[in-house]
Amino acid sequence: GPRPLEVRPTLFSLAGERLDMQPVIVEGNSFRMIDLREWVMVGGPSFEQGSIQLFHPGRDLVLGAQIYLVDDVHSLIFDEKLTEITNGGPARLEGIWWLPSASAQALVTLSNTSDASLTVTTRLMGSAPNHADSATLDLAPHETRVIDVSRDSRSSIGALSIEHSGTGGPLVARAMVQDLRTGYSSTVQFSAPQKGKSSRLEGAGLRLRGASGESLNPIVVTRNVGDAATTLRGRVPYTTADRSEERRVGK
């Protein structure tokens, strides 16, 4: 927006403890870069993990926020775009991931963004179609739970179905995949199938050749969350060196 904006940040520890920080002023048509470690030092060790909430009294759609978690030593980076919690949100979320090696780790984070307790039921699945491990957990207001699902999935492919008792979509779920040996890192955002409006998905940034002398192996992982069989058709449009366009088709 064209006017200065006052943003009021609040940190929550894993247990849901609250820490209100001093407001931050973001000038019109501008941005601020903030080191979260400065805020964490105010709250102490209990706030080294948890969640963050930003509130501003301005108009809708004038504030965007992104968090970068960087581990320079292991060449890992995770980015998280903050989302708006809206009324009528989904009570069911689905996520899927792929582990590049046996040493890779998948961590799922479940965060209750509401002021009320939340009952969450999870179903963890691997590559076997008929195998699932179910669990039920209770999240206190603004509590965040971190679960190492790679220890239980017993497969390089994992999926998690989540259902919760809240209304208005108060649950935020993310998965982070990391391999400390190779510096591989990936963030998995969970989606709500019931809110889908199209049978077509688009993606960009697929690397088909080597980078920096290393060979690459593109992987696409899909999961059918419905009760009926589904046929997938994929197309990879690309432009050759002479600027002609071609498509590779798969089924």
Side-chain angles (χ1 to χ4, degrees), residues 24-243:
V24 175
I25 302 298
V26 182
E27 297 298 329
N29 296 317
S30 182
F31 66 92
R32 292 278 304 270
M33 297 288 290
I34 298 172
D35 191 341
L36 284 180
R37 290 176 296 186
E38 298 176 1
W39 291 350
V40 169
M41 290 177 61
V42 176
S46 62
F47 287 90
E48 291 181 355
Q49 296 186 76
S51 62
I52 185 171
Q53 180 186 85
L54 301 180
F55 173 81
H56 67 88
R59 301 175 60 183
D60 293 342
L61 305 179
V62 295
L63 178 68
Q66 189 102 355
I67 293 179
Y68 298 95
L69 305 176
V70 182
D71 182 351
D72 291 326
V73 175
H74 299 99
S75 299
L76 303 177
I77 181 170
F78 301 96
D79 62 303
E80 169 72 9
K81 182 178 180 181
L82 273 66
T83 58
E84 181 181 3
I85 305 301
T86 59
N87 293 328
R92 175 188 170 196
L93 297 171
E94 300 283 350
I96 188 170
W97 58 85
W98 170 76
L99 302 180
S101 69
S103 62
Q105 182 184 36
L107 300 174
V108 169
T109 302
L110 304 176
S111 185
N112 179 5
T113 65
S114 71
D115 296 326
S117 298
L118 200 63
T119 299
V120 181
T121 301
T122 63
R123 295 181 67 248
L124 176 65
M125 288 149 283
S127 57
N130 297 321
H131 176 79
D133 294 325
S134 299
T136 300
L137 53 97
D138 294 320
L139 294 179
H142 296 284
E143 180 184 357
T144 297
R145 198 79 59 92
V146 181
I147 306 171
D148 186 351
V149 293
S150 53
R151 296 184 304 176
D152 302 323
S153 62
R154 298 183 291 274
S155 172
S156 61
I157 299 175
L160 190 68
S161 293
I162 304 171
E163 294 188 28
H164 62 82
S165 60
T167 58
L171 183 71
V172 174
R174 294 289 185 271
M176 294 179 291
V177 179
Q178 62 182 19
D179 191 337
L180 299 181
R181 295 193 314 170
T182 62
Y184 175 90
S185 55
S186 177
T187 302
V188 179
Q189 295 193 9
F190 284 68
S191 61
Q194 63 271 34
K195 298 188 68 174
K197 299 180 180 179
S198 172
S199 61
R200 178 174 176 174
L201 299 174
E202 300 283 354
L206 180 64
R207 294 183 178 270
L208 300 177
R209 294 186 178 179
S212 302
E214 298 182 36
S215 61
L216 299 177
N217 184 27
I219 300 292
V220 176
V221 182
T222 64
R223 175 172 174 252
N224 182 3
V225 298
D227 298 327
T230 300
T231 299
L232 302 178
R233 293 181 175 86
R235 296 187 298 174
V236 183
Y238 63 96
T239 304
T240 61
D242 60 1
R243 310 304 297 176

